[in-house]
Every structure is written in C-alpha cells, then in structure tokens.
Amino acid sequence: TRQGIVDGLGRANADAAVTSIVITGAGGAFSGGADIKEFGTDKSLQEPNLLSVIAAIENSAKPVVAAMHSVAMGGGLELALGCHYRIAAPGCSIALSEVKLGLIPGAGGTQRLPRVIGVEAALNLIVSGEPVKSEMIGAVPGQKLFDKMAASAESLAAEALAFAQSVADARPLPLVRNFPCKHPEGDAYFQFARNMVKGMAKNFPAP
C-alpha cells in the first residue's frame, strides 16, 4: 500500500544500520498501478497519494532502488521512475496504460519517461498504452530507465540487494525529473504526433 511504502521509508531512513533501500512487489507484479475501484472516490485522493509517495522516495536521504518484475504499469511505472535507481528482470511488462481507460498518467509519468527513454519512444508508450518488455527497452543504447538488467526473475532480489549496496554511498542521488530532455525538432514532431493520434483516435476523448 502507499502508506506501507511511506512508513517503510521512514523506518529505513531512521535506522543507522540501513544504507540503501529496495522497493519491489510481492507476488505476481512489481505494481500494476492504481486500484481502479478507487477512481472517482475519496480514496484516490487520500494521503499519502501517489504523488506524495514519489516525493517521499525522491527526498529519501538513502538510495532507493526499484526491483521491477512481471508488471510495472501505470502508477507502478511512475513509482519506479521516482526511485533513484531501477533494476528489472527480463519479461517485465512496462506501460503507461491509463490511456486505455481514457485517463492520462497523473503522477509524473509523462514528464519523467521521456527523460529516460527519449521523447519519441515515451510518446509512443503514453498514447498507445501498450506494454513493452523490459529487455527490449534495456537493449536500447543510451536508455536510462534501467540502471541494470537482472539475469532472471529468480535472481532479481539478490541482484537488487547487491546493486543497492554498490550505490549506498553515491551522492548526490539521481532524480529522473532533473535529467535533460530535448528533441531536435520538438515543435514539428509534436505537431506530427498530434495529427497521427487524432487520426487514430477519431471521436474518442483519449488519447
């Protein structure tokens, strides 16, 4: 839960024996994002909301590593983008899938994703909502979404712990929101993208 992440961060930062932090998902996914049942209810705005959780991660005095496996979609991907570092297992599905529900990513995904995989690749993910496997993204030269690819899902936990220990003394801690993001023909590309999406979406309100 969001509260559990914030509480865990607080305990880890207060414990002198802890030098770095790993966030992962128990069971079948890293995180599939927000609970659809909460949409349009007071629960979706209840503190700590996802923006508050990401802010707590970014402000952590100790490095926070996302160990991503199986599924990292929607708010789950935005959560990982808020971490200082990311390691992924092969076969992890990466997506900003909100557009399929007529929504836009609301916790910084549209701003952070272009900073780690480039404007064009990020825009394709944002407007399509389609998942891409982690190993495909990890193989792209210059990508910054993953700092390391794990050998397998089974070895992810051990590799994430080892990676977290290796960056325990790294300072300043990297924040994706501060990474540079430019497109050489920005205005022209975005106009092209608008026209393309308008033709695809026709009368639908999104993307």
Side-chain angles (χ1 to χ4, degrees), residues 64-82:
V64 180
V65 178
M68 304 162 69
H69 67 90
S70 308
V71 172
M73 294 186 180
L77 178 55
E78 291 177 305
L79 178 73
L81 286 165

mmCIF file of all heavy atoms in Angstrom, residues 64-82:
data_model
loop_
_atom_site.group_PDB
_atom_site.id
_atom_site.type_symbol
_atom_site.label_atom_id
_atom_site.label_comp_id
_atom_site.label_asym_id
_atom_site.label_seq_id
_atom_site.Cartn_x
_atom_site.Cartn_y
_atom_site.Cartn_z
ATOM 1 N N VAL A 64 17.205 4.719 -3.058
ATOM 2 C CA VAL A 64 16.055 3.829 -3.197
ATOM 3 C C VAL A 64 16.125 3.183 -4.576
ATOM 4 O O VAL A 64 16.185 3.871 -5.590
ATOM 5 C CB VAL A 64 14.721 4.587 -3.036
ATOM 6 C CG1 VAL A 64 13.545 3.620 -3.185
ATOM 7 C CG2 VAL A 64 14.663 5.298 -1.683
ATOM 8 N N VAL A 65 16.129 1.852 -4.581
ATOM 9 C CA VAL A 65 16.239 1.081 -5.818
ATOM 10 C C VAL A 65 14.922 0.348 -6.059
ATOM 11 O O VAL A 65 14.415 -0.345 -5.182
ATOM 12 C CB VAL A 65 17.392 0.051 -5.726
ATOM 13 C CG1 VAL A 65 17.469 -0.777 -7.007
ATOM 14 C CG2 VAL A 65 18.715 0.753 -5.445
ATOM 15 N N ALA A 66 14.357 0.498 -7.255
ATOM 16 C CA ALA A 66 13.166 -0.263 -7.637
ATOM 17 C C ALA A 66 13.609 -1.567 -8.275
ATOM 18 O O ALA A 66 14.370 -1.555 -9.251
ATOM 19 C CB ALA A 66 12.313 0.541 -8.610
ATOM 20 N N ALA A 67 13.157 -2.687 -7.736
ATOM 21 C CA ALA A 67 13.427 -4.006 -8.319
ATOM 22 C C ALA A 67 12.167 -4.450 -9.045
ATOM 23 O O ALA A 67 11.209 -4.927 -8.442
ATOM 24 C CB ALA A 67 13.816 -5.004 -7.233
ATOM 25 N N MET A 68 12.162 -4.285 -10.363
ATOM 26 C CA MET A 68 10.943 -4.412 -11.160
ATOM 27 C C MET A 68 10.849 -5.794 -11.796
ATOM 28 O O MET A 68 11.804 -6.279 -12.395
ATOM 29 C CB MET A 68 10.933 -3.328 -12.238
ATOM 30 C CG MET A 68 11.059 -1.921 -11.671
ATOM 31 S SD MET A 68 11.570 -0.667 -12.880
ATOM 32 C CE MET A 68 10.119 -0.598 -13.917
ATOM 33 N N HIS A 69 9.677 -6.410 -11.669
ATOM 34 C CA HIS A 69 9.459 -7.731 -12.266
ATOM 35 C C HIS A 69 8.008 -7.872 -12.708
ATOM 36 O O HIS A 69 7.124 -7.161 -12.235
ATOM 37 C CB HIS A 69 9.800 -8.839 -11.260
ATOM 38 C CG HIS A 69 8.867 -8.871 -10.087
ATOM 39 N ND1 HIS A 69 7.722 -9.611 -10.063
ATOM 40 C CD2 HIS A 69 8.915 -8.219 -8.891
ATOM 41 C CE1 HIS A 69 7.097 -9.437 -8.900
ATOM 42 N NE2 HIS A 69 7.795 -8.596 -8.176
ATOM 43 N N SER A 70 7.785 -8.749 -13.641
ATOM 44 C CA SER A 70 6.438 -9.146 -14.089
ATOM 45 C C SER A 70 5.657 -8.009 -14.731
ATOM 46 O O SER A 70 5.432 -7.997 -15.934
ATOM 47 C CB SER A 70 5.629 -9.767 -12.943
ATOM 48 O OG SER A 70 6.353 -10.811 -12.321
ATOM 49 N N VAL A 71 5.191 -7.062 -13.926
ATOM 50 C CA VAL A 71 4.372 -5.957 -14.429
ATOM 51 C C VAL A 71 4.754 -4.671 -13.700
ATOM 52 O O VAL A 71 4.808 -4.642 -12.473
ATOM 53 C CB VAL A 71 2.871 -6.233 -14.210
ATOM 54 C CG1 VAL A 71 2.041 -4.997 -14.546
ATOM 55 C CG2 VAL A 71 2.404 -7.418 -15.047
ATOM 56 N N ALA A 72 5.030 -3.621 -14.470
ATOM 57 C CA ALA A 72 5.213 -2.274 -13.912
ATOM 58 C C ALA A 72 4.452 -1.325 -14.827
ATOM 59 O O ALA A 72 4.982 -0.845 -15.824
ATOM 60 C CB ALA A 72 6.682 -1.906 -13.827
ATOM 61 N N MET A 73 3.199 -1.104 -14.505
ATOM 62 C CA MET A 73 2.323 -0.333 -15.378
ATOM 63 C C MET A 73 1.670 0.824 -14.629
ATOM 64 O O MET A 73 1.482 0.763 -13.414
ATOM 65 C CB MET A 73 1.223 -1.226 -15.961
ATOM 66 C CG MET A 73 1.718 -2.299 -16.907
ATOM 67 S SD MET A 73 0.328 -3.176 -17.677
ATOM 68 C CE MET A 73 1.190 -4.354 -18.709
ATOM 69 N N GLY A 74 1.308 1.853 -15.382
ATOM 70 C CA GLY A 74 0.577 2.971 -14.809
ATOM 71 C C GLY A 74 1.314 3.580 -13.632
ATOM 72 O O GLY A 74 2.496 3.927 -13.716
ATOM 73 N N GLY A 75 0.609 3.683 -12.515
ATOM 74 C CA GLY A 75 1.208 4.241 -11.312
ATOM 75 C C GLY A 75 2.395 3.439 -10.816
ATOM 76 O O GLY A 75 3.286 3.980 -10.145
ATOM 77 N N GLY A 76 2.444 2.153 -11.150
ATOM 78 C CA GLY A 76 3.587 1.330 -10.764
ATOM 79 C C GLY A 76 4.853 1.766 -11.483
ATOM 80 O O GLY A 76 5.936 1.822 -10.887
ATOM 81 N N LEU A 77 4.736 2.103 -12.778
ATOM 82 C CA LEU A 77 5.881 2.612 -13.522
ATOM 83 C C LEU A 77 6.261 3.998 -13.009
ATOM 84 O O LEU A 77 7.446 4.311 -12.867
ATOM 85 C CB LEU A 77 5.566 2.661 -15.013
ATOM 86 C CG LEU A 77 6.662 3.225 -15.919
ATOM 87 C CD1 LEU A 77 7.983 2.477 -15.739
ATOM 88 C CD2 LEU A 77 6.217 3.181 -17.375
ATOM 89 N N GLU A 78 5.267 4.817 -12.698
ATOM 90 C CA GLU A 78 5.553 6.150 -12.166
ATOM 91 C C GLU A 78 6.265 6.056 -10.820
ATOM 92 O O GLU A 78 7.163 6.859 -10.522
ATOM 93 C CB GLU A 78 4.249 6.949 -12.041
ATOM 94 C CG GLU A 78 3.654 7.306 -13.400
ATOM 95 C CD GLU A 78 2.334 8.038 -13.302
ATOM 96 O OE1 GLU A 78 1.408 7.522 -12.647
ATOM 97 O OE2 GLU A 78 2.225 9.131 -13.884
ATOM 98 N N LEU A 79 5.884 5.066 -10.016
ATOM 99 C CA LEU A 79 6.566 4.831 -8.740
ATOM 100 C C LEU A 79 8.037 4.505 -8.976
ATOM 101 O O LEU A 79 8.931 5.063 -8.331
ATOM 102 C CB LEU A 79 5.886 3.681 -7.992
ATOM 103 C CG LEU A 79 6.505 3.279 -6.649
ATOM 104 C CD1 LEU A 79 6.196 4.322 -5.590
ATOM 105 C CD2 LEU A 79 5.970 1.917 -6.207
ATOM 106 N N ALA A 80 8.292 3.609 -9.928
ATOM 107 C CA ALA A 80 9.675 3.228 -10.234
ATOM 108 C C ALA A 80 10.471 4.418 -10.763
ATOM 109 O O ALA A 80 11.660 4.572 -10.444
ATOM 110 C CB ALA A 80 9.689 2.086 -11.250
ATOM 111 N N LEU A 81 9.838 5.264 -11.569
ATOM 112 C CA LEU A 81 10.514 6.440 -12.106
ATOM 113 C C LEU A 81 10.879 7.438 -11.012
ATOM 114 O O LEU A 81 11.773 8.267 -11.198
ATOM 115 C CB LEU A 81 9.635 7.118 -13.164
ATOM 116 C CG LEU A 81 9.533 6.398 -14.506
ATOM 117 C CD1 LEU A 81 8.376 6.960 -15.328
ATOM 118 C CD2 LEU A 81 10.841 6.499 -15.281
ATOM 119 N N GLY A 82 10.186 7.361 -9.883
ATOM 120 C CA GLY A 82 10.508 8.222 -8.752
ATOM 121 C C GLY A 82 11.668 7.713 -7.925
ATOM 122 O O GLY A 82 12.234 8.465 -7.117
#
